[in-house]
Amino acid sequence: MGVLLFLGQICTAQYTIYVAPKGNDRSIGTMSRPLRTIQAALQKANSVSGEEKVEIVLRAGLYEQDSTLVVRRSNLSFHPYKNEQVVISGGRKISPKHLKKVTKPSVLDKLQPQARKQIREIDFKALRIKIADLHASGFGRSSQTAWT
């Protein structure tokens, strides 16, 4: 009488989501059709079965975050694609083209004449940057909002 012995390997499925700065959050998250934001990748990861490991692969570039990244699964990993350089930043770059000359007379009147042509302003609202929590600080200044 013979004995048949079967040694099997338990395989855990892995789900891969690709993200690229020039992707689209309405895409499916594949290498050829990546998502654009890490937030969208996390949402997609949350929709994957809890048994599957999820891998989020970030293509080269800058990923600006305007809120905390919340990870809701334990079997999730992030890493750059191959050796590409990835930067995840909680800040935002503001291009010099967004610096505009001050034109409002009530503001210009508060400035010394020699400074009026040198002072620039930024329209944070137009850039969709929330400034409610910004405050002047450091060098002994009180922590009060510097603008109204």
Side-chain angles (χ1 to χ4, degrees):
M1 178 192 307
V3 176
L4 179 62
L5 181 62
F6 176 73
L7 296 174
Q9 181 179 3
I10 298 174
C11 294
T12 304
Q14 180 163 313
Y15 192 90
T16 303
I17 302 169
Y18 289 89
V19 184
K22 295 192 187 276
N24 183 329
D25 283 345
R26 290 185 226 131
S27 290
I28 56 176
T30 61
M31 178 73 149
S32 61
R33 295 185 59 207
L35 298 171
R36 184 179 62 81
T37 64
I38 296 172
Q39 291 89 342
L42 287 170
Q43 287 175 344
K44 189 167 187 75
N46 288 335
S47 70
V48 175
S49 163
E51 298 296 313
E52 287 186 78
K53 290 181 180 179
V54 177
E55 172 187 43
I56 296 178
V57 180
L58 303 171
R59 297 303 310 263
L62 173 65
Y63 296 88
E64 293 176 334
Q65 306 305 304
D66 60 2
S67 61
T68 302
L69 295 172
V70 179
V71 178
R72 290 189 162 76
R73 6 177 3 118
S74 59
N75 53 354
L76 174 74
S77 65
F78 286 87
H79 65 84
Y81 179 75
K82 296 189 178 181
N83 292 323
E84 293 183 351
Q85 184 177 4
V86 170
V87 176
I88 300 173
S89 174
R92 242 199 63 230
K93 282 187 178 182
I94 298 176
S95 169
K97 72 179 182 182
H98 296 294
L99 299 170
K100 306 293 181 190
K101 287 184 178 181
V102 176
T103 58
K104 192 172 181 181
S106 62
V107 175
L108 289 170
D109 290 344
K110 295 177 184 177
L111 300 172
Q112 295 179 356
Q114 64 271 24
R116 291 178 184 160
K117 292 183 180 181
Q118 297 175 13
I119 301 295
R120 300 291 183 266
E121 64 184 352
I122 299 171
D123 186 349
F124 289 109
K125 193 173 192 177
L127 295 173
R128 294 188 305 246
I129 297 174
K130 298 174 187 173
I131 61 169
D133 296 330
L134 295 180
H135 59 275
S137 63
F139 300 106
R141 290 182 278 179
S142 62
S143 293
Q144 295 179 339
T145 304
W147 49 84
T148 56

